[in-house]
């Protein structure tokens, strides 16, 4: 069973389009995250939701809008895509404090042309 | 603010040789510490973690790491590297408490293994 799953795995789109990435975890965790990995492999947190409530928003453009319909899902919608949005986006989940058992999804490689 | 430094961007070792990847952190107190591995085109897999107690922690795939408070370091080691260990390695820190349970990552070290 996949613990944290994301769809799609690859996403290629034109500048200006709107796209969504979906994430689901079956671990029963109460905290979910979106991380962005840029072309230099640097990983940085974007958002964190705890029990469907936004608790971390790390200076991300408001073109990015996370949505958590329930504790097991955290989707990422991106409006008006820009070239600089090209990256790998990782969903993750954890239970408890300190992110000590953070499980990552396989990533979604977004390419904006 | 917490930060993580991995001073080696790229390391090449021969198969069978020993390995040490360096990690230094900056934090107000002792944080939780992690090492993750990312194989090409793959997601992140947790190798090992340190919360408290014994400063030498064992992980999967034969890896270990030693926490040294005096040096604010958490270096990853493996006595004998296998070709399949070639990957990107990330050190990360997480806060001890609070609801903002995010991980802060270092910039990664790419490990190349020569046969």
């Amino acid at each position: 069973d996949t613990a944290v799953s994301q769809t799609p795995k690859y996403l290629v789109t034109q500048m200006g389009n709107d796209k969504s990435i979906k994430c689901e975890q079956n671990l029963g965790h109460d905290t979910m995250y979106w991380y962005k990995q840029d072309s230099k492999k640097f990983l940085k947190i974007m958002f964190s939701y705890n029990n469907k409530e936004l608790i971390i928003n790390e200076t991300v453009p408001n073109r990015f809008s996370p949505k958590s319909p329930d504790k097991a899902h955290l989707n990422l919608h991106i409006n008006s895509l820009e070239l600089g949005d090209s990256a790998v986006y990782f969903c993750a989940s954890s239970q408890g404090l300190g992110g000590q058992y953070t499980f990552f999804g396989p990533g979604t490689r977004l390419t904006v042309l | 603010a917490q930060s993580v430094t991995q001073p080696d961007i790229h390391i090449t070792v021969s198969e069978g040789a020993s390995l040490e990847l360096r990690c230094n952190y900056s934090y107000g107190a002792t944080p939780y510490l992690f090492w993750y591995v990312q194989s090409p085109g793959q997601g992140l897999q947790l190798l090992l973690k340190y919360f408290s107690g014994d400063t030498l922690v064992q992980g999967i795939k034969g890896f270990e790491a030693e926490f040294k408070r005096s040096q604010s370091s958490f270096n990853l080691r493996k006595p004998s590297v296998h070709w399949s260990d070639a990957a990107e390695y990330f050190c990360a820190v997480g806060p001890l408490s609070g609801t903002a349970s995010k991980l802060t990552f270092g910039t990664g070290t790419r490990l190349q293994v020569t046969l």
Side-chain angles (χ1 to χ4, degrees):
Chain A
D1 283 342
T2 303
V4 182
S5 59
Q6 297 177 228
T7 53
K9 188 169 174 65
Y10 299 96
L11 188 52
V12 181
T13 188
Q14 300 287 331
M15 226 170 27
N17 285 350
D18 304 338
K19 290 294 178 186
S20 292
I21 306 172
K22 295 186 176 182
C23 177
E24 176 181 2
Q25 54 96 3
N26 62 7
L27 298 166
H29 289 165
D30 60 5
T31 305
M32 295 186 72
Y33 314 80
W34 279 109
Y35 284 83
K36 178 180 179 180
Q37 186 175 45
D38 63 22
S39 58
K40 296 184 178 178
K41 301 279 188 171
F42 183 58
L43 274 154
K44 191 174 191 306
I45 189 157
M46 300 173 69
F47 301 103
S48 173
Y49 269 73
N50 178 263
N51 287 316
K52 303 196 302 174
E53 182 181 345
L54 179 67
I55 57 171
I56 294 176
N57 182 342
E58 289 279 312
T59 321
V60 178
N62 57 15
R63 297 183 295 104
F64 290 78
S65 52
K67 285 195 172 44
S68 182
D70 55 58
K71 280 173 47 173
H73 296 84
L74 180 61
N75 303 324
L76 183 65
H77 188 76
I78 315 170
N79 289 327
S80 304
L81 278 156
E82 300 177 358
L83 294 177
D85 298 331
S86 295
V88 181
Y89 293 84
F90 287 99
C91 179
S93 72
S94 71
Q95 182 71 32
L97 303 175
Q100 60 264 44
Y101 292 109
T102 302
F103 290 82
F104 284 82
T108 295
R109 181 174 294 276
L110 171 65
T111 303
V112 182
L113 303 175
Chain B
Q2 65 259 38
S3 66
V4 179
T5 302
Q6 292 181 247
D8 304 306
I9 296 172
H10 187 198
I11 282 183
T12 301
V13 299
S14 301
E15 189 175 39
S18 63
L19 170 72
E20 181 168 31
L21 302 182
R22 296 182 290 165
C23 173
N24 293 94
Y25 68 91
S26 173
Y27 201 74
T30 301
Y32 293 147
L33 295 158
F34 310 83
W35 276 98
Y36 282 84
V37 60
Q38 184 180 24
S39 297
Q42 301 298 312
L44 291 147
Q45 182 180 22
L46 180 66
L47 281 177
L48 47 77
K49 56 191 179 295
Y50 173 78
F51 297 154
S52 64
D54 193 345
T55 56
L56 185 64
V57 293
Q58 302 297 321
I60 62 171
K61 304 185 180 187
F63 285 92
E64 66 179 25
E66 185 172 14
F67 168 62
K68 292 186 178 180
R69 185 191 306 273
S70 61
Q71 298 175 20
S72 296
S73 68
F74 188 56
N75 294 348
L76 182 71
R77 300 196 294 247
K78 186 169 185 178
S80 178
V81 169
H82 187 262
W83 64 266
S84 61
D85 293 325
E88 192 90 23
Y89 291 80
F90 294 94
C91 182
V93 301
L96 276 178
S97 63
T99 57
S101 53
K102 67 177 183 180
L103 294 175
T104 299
F105 285 87
T107 49
T109 298
R110 176 180 289 184
L111 173 64
Q112 185 175 358
V113 180
T114 57
L115 300 176

